[in-house]
Amino acid sequence: MATIVSTLFISLDGVVEIDPAWHFPYFDEHMGAAVMEDYRGVDVLLLGRVTYDSFAGAWPDREAAGGEDASYAAQLGDTRKVVVTRGTQDLGWRNAEPLRGDLVEAVTALSAEPGVGKILVPGSISVVRQLLAAGLLDELRLLVHPVAARKGERLFDEGEPIYPLRLLRSDIFPTGVVRLIYGPGEVPGTETYEDVTEHIPGSDES
């Protein structure tokens, strides 16, 4: 089965709806290298329709323009892109195809395809939420900006159950951005307040 990885830019208060005003001032060579690492070895990009439209509305033109980002734009164009969409019209970018049927079933089948070793989900919040709920996400990669956005869509919605995560790696960049990579985890125990009172400041054992 393929490894399914989510990569997201996020504020301290959990907003993943990117505002250029708080995102680009923190985008330096360290963040660029982290993004390139996320895309390294990707066989399939899995995209929600809003994220796909954003990509398709920008990167083909950047590839054609031949600027500094043209090679990255070409890499995106050459990568297989599976788009979660209800539409039936042509997606208008090479190597793009609609995802058919139920998301969880289709992604499970996609991850089992021969030759598919890594599936990357950039942005695409609703897709990430569904993959988390289904237990299909292997890595949640967050580039945490040192800013409270105070408005915009947040990564986690309200609901049950909780999502215990295990920290796999962390990096701190000079701008104050923190890169956190999580995998599925478990709550470390079943302790209650009474079980941890010995660790409370001021207890006899402290």
Side-chain angles (χ1 to χ4, degrees):
M1 301 293 284
T3 299
I4 303 177
V5 177
S6 163
T7 179
L8 292 162
F9 304 119
I10 187 170
S11 68
L12 281 176
D13 53 346
V15 173
V16 284
E17 184 179 350
I18 300 304
D19 183 340
W22 63 255
H23 171 55
F24 287 113
Y26 294 98
F27 201 105
D28 62 359
E29 65 271 23
H30 302 279
M31 191 183 293
V35 171
M36 290 305 296
E37 181 183 319
D38 290 346
Y39 279 81
R40 189 175 299 125
V42 168
D43 299 297
V44 178
L45 291 176
L46 178 63
L47 300 145
R49 187 58 195 257
V50 172
T51 300
Y52 174 78
D53 286 345
S54 174
F55 276 37
W59 291 111
D61 289 342
R62 291 171 182 168
E63 180 181 358
E68 292 184 1
D69 55 0
S71 61
Y72 177 65
Q75 176 187 338
L76 292 176
D78 292 340
T79 302
R80 180 184 176 190
K81 293 168 284 292
V82 177
V83 185
V84 181
T85 178
R86 295 186 178 90
T88 58
Q89 68 272 30
D90 179 69
L91 291 167
W93 194 9
R94 69 183 185 276
N95 299 315
E97 64 192 74
L99 181 139
R100 303 295 186 187
D102 175 78
L103 173 70
V104 172
E105 292 178 358
V107 171
T108 301
L110 178 64
S111 67
E113 286 186 14
V116 177
K118 181 178 178 181
I119 300 171
L120 185 68
V121 189
S124 309
I125 308 310
S126 64
V127 174
V128 173
R129 287 173 179 162
Q130 292 177 74
L131 295 178
L132 277 168
L136 290 179
L137 199 64
D138 297 297
E139 291 187 12
L140 179 65
R141 300 187 176 194
L142 304 175
L143 285 161
V144 185
H145 296 50
V147 60
R150 302 188 66 194
K151 62 180 180 179
E153 187 172 6
R154 287 169 169 77
L155 173 56
F156 298 109
D157 53 2
E158 293 189 7
E160 296 181 354
I162 64 171
Y163 296 137
L165 300 171
R166 177 170 60 96
L167 184 64
L168 304 176
R169 175 178 166 186
S170 63
D171 301 289
I172 301 174
F173 300 157
T175 57
V177 169
V178 179
R179 187 190 192 202
L180 302 172
I181 301 179
Y182 291 99
E186 297 180 356
V187 176
T190 59
E191 287 81 4
T192 65
Y193 179 83
E194 287 71 20
D195 297 318
V196 301
T197 52
E198 63 185 275
H199 305 302
I200 303 300
S203 65
D204 293 338
E205 289 80 6
S206 298

